[in-house]
Amino acid sequence: GENVEQHPSTLSVQEGDSAVIKCTYSDSASNYFPWYKQELGKRPQLIIDIRSNVGEKKDQRIAVTLNKTAKHFSLHITETQPEDSAVYFCAARQGAQKLVFGQGTRLTINP
Amino acid sequence: NAGVTQTPKFRVLKTGQSMTLLCAQDMNHEYMYWYRQDPGMGLRLIHYSVGEGTTAKGEVPDGYNVSRLKKQNFLLGLESAAPSQTSVYFCASGRLAGETQYFGPGTRLLVL
C-alpha cells in the first residue's frame, strides 16, 4: 500500500520568509496529492492539490510542485504571515478510494 | 449548509465502556471516512464507506465498528474502550473517490 513520509516535523521561519514542506510517496500509481492546513483546535481544510499530469500549481502565496520520477511533492509558502502558523498535512491517493496522510508539519511564523 | 458535523465534541470513558460517535453530512456525498489523529502520527484511516450500506476497513480498524444505514450518516462504535483509543476522531466526506475530503470538527475522546 501507499506510504507517505513528510518532512520536517516542525518548521520555524521569520515572517516574510518562505517555507517549504516536502513529502515522498511510495506508490507510483498515485495520481492525486492534496495539502491540508489544520489550525490549532480546528479541522483540517484543503488548501491546494495537484494531479499527476501537472508539475506545478500556484494559488496566490502557496504553490505545490510534483516530481513523479522521484515520487515527491512539496508545498511552498512565500511571504509568510502569522496566520500561516498551523499544522500542514500532505496526502496521496491510495488505490481508487482512499487518501494516505503524512505525519504533519507544525509551521510557526515568528514575527 | 452545515457541511460535516460530529457528535459529541468531547467524551470521557472508562476502560471497557462502549460508545458511538455520529457523523452527519448534508452535501449528498457518497464517500465517508473515519480517522483518528494522534500526536506525530498524522491522520490514520479507521474505516470508510463508498456508499449507503457499505463499509470497509482502513489502516487501523481493530477495536472499532462502523455502520452506514443512511447516506448522510456514518457511525463509529467502540464496543469496549481501551486507553489506547484515547485520540481525536475526525469524520470526513467526499463527492469523488479518493479526492477532496471535507472534515468535521472532531471528537476528543479520553479513555481512562
Side-chain angles (χ1 to χ4, degrees):
Chain A
E2 178 69 279
N3 185 46
V4 177
E5 296 287 332
Q6 183 173 347
H7 298 280
S9 57
T10 60
L11 180 61
S12 183
V13 302
Q14 289 298 119
E15 183 177 351
D17 288 349
S18 296
V20 181
I21 302 169
K22 297 182 179 179
C23 289
T24 60
Y25 61 98
S26 59
D27 187 354
S28 57
S30 290
N31 59 5
Y32 176 68
F33 308 91
W35 284 89
Y36 286 80
K37 175 184 180 181
Q38 185 180 27
E39 297 178 354
L40 188 63
K42 301 291 182 63
R43 71 190 79 190
Q45 291 191 298
L46 179 76
I47 55 171
I48 195 167
D49 56 14
I50 192 167
R51 299 180 189 281
S52 58
N53 60 346
V54 175
E56 183 176 6
K57 184 177 179 180
K58 289 183 179 179
D59 183 2
Q60 299 183 342
R61 294 186 299 107
I62 62 172
V64 57
T65 58
L66 171 64
N67 183 326
K68 287 190 295 181
T69 302
K71 289 190 283 187
H72 68 71
F73 56 111
S74 299
L75 177 71
H76 305 253
I77 306 174
T78 59
E79 300 173 12
T80 53
Q81 300 170 3
E83 54 264 35
D84 295 329
S85 292
V87 177
Y88 292 81
F89 292 98
C90 63
R93 174 152 53 191
Q94 178 185 31
Q97 298 163 343
K98 299 178 287 184
L99 293 176
V100 176
F101 287 83
Q103 298 88 342
T105 296
R106 182 173 300 278
L107 175 63
T108 302
I109 308 301
N110 300 309
Chain B
N1 231 3
V4 181
T5 58
Q6 292 181 233
T7 53
K9 288 184 172 56
F10 176 69
R11 184 77 182 267
V12 179
L13 288 181
K14 294 182 180 178
T15 297
Q17 288 185 318
S18 63
M19 77 164 294
T20 300
L21 284 69
L22 171 64
C23 175
Q25 53 97 2
D26 62 1
M27 296 177 282
N28 202 33
H29 287 166
E30 290 291 339
Y31 302 89
M32 297 188 74
Y33 308 84
W34 274 108
Y35 294 91
R36 59 177 290 171
Q37 182 175 34
D38 303 294
M41 302 189 75
L43 294 155
R44 293 185 292 168
L45 183 64
I46 305 171
H47 286 281
Y48 65 102
S49 169
V50 301
E52 181 178 317
T54 75
T55 63
K57 293 181 180 180
E59 181 187 357
V60 289
D62 293 343
Y64 305 95
N65 56 76
V66 287
S67 64
R68 182 111 181 259
L69 299 179
K70 293 183 179 181
K71 186 177 183 178
Q72 63 267 33
N73 295 338
F74 195 28
L75 279 66
L76 178 71
L78 286 74
E79 290 186 348
S80 180
S84 60
Q85 294 178 304
T86 293
S87 189
V88 179
Y89 292 86
F90 284 99
C91 174
S93 71
R95 186 174 63 87
L96 299 174
E99 298 239 343
T100 304
Q101 294 182 11
Y102 299 87
F103 284 82
T107 294
R108 188 173 297 275
L109 177 64
L110 175 62
V111 183
L112 301 175

